[in-house]
Amino acid sequence: MKLKIALLQISPEKSLEENLNKGINACRSASKMGADIALFPEMWSNGYDIYNRPAEVWQKEALNSNGDFVNTFGLLAKELNIAIAITFLEKFKKAPRNTMVLFDRFGNRKFTYAKVHTCEFGVEKDLTPGDDFYVVNLNTKLGDINVGAMICYDREFPESARILMLKGAELVLVPNACPMEINRLSQLRGRAYENMLAIATCNYPETVPDCNGGSTLFDGVAYLPELEGSRDTCVFKADGKEGIYIAELDVDMLRRYRLQEVHGNAYRRPELYKELLKKEISEPFIRKDYRG
């Protein structure tokens, strides 16, 4: 089972309608390239254009989760027979959310995930954080796989990937909108390695401010019997240019590895991790803008 994940490393246009049409065309191209899953970069509906604009302006661009923009990709997923992970600024109660909806190849909505770890030290303070992580069984043309999601800054918290692993994730989809430099790539590498799962990240290309492409797939498989020492778990990395990149995940190899290696949930001691559930924060980590 070698799953093909289309990383839609494309730049946004100037309007919602243009982004809708460009997104549709990108998914059609991904389907022709043999993709099983198409993944958009973060907040595709408005190109993550929430900086250098008043909150009251960009918040008006928030969309209903069950509105035409999102549902178009559900219909498209069914037409193309591929899963689509579409991202958007979601209209939500008091303030919008940074959201991803995953549709399966039959057009069924598998989950609606909102970014849990919003960047409260910046403009994302005006977003509503998500309140849970989700893992679903996703049927593809090649077979089933358990899929979860993180969005951008979620990557920087080991708890995000850990809870997804504990919920059964084999593949984590990560929409992104920031420079993928060595340390952020190292975070993805670490999350994949320590949880023995695959992480596919889709970023905006270098033509988008504060982004540099570099969409990746880490497969989480650090050791193979036929190899001396460890192997590079980064099995795909795009350059900075705009494009649709196909990253191939060997699911069977990952599953064999998870059956025998020592990471993930094989040897954990959760009875000793009670400190992780404490809410108290002490210096040097106290931040006045932390919402709790």
Side-chain angles (χ1 to χ4, degrees), residues 26 35 71 77 99 121 139 159 169 225 233 259 281:
N71 287 336
T99 299
F121 44 83
N139 178 264
E159 295 86 353
T233 63
L259 282 172
I281 302 174

Side-chain angles (χ1 to χ4, degrees), residues 90-108:
E90 179 193 5
K91 186 178 293 184
F92 191 80
K93 297 178 181 178
K94 294 182 179 179
R97 302 197 302 182
N98 184 342
T99 299
M100 181 189 110
V101 167
L102 177 65
F103 291 104
D104 69 13
R105 67 190 181 101
F106 308 109
N108 299 314

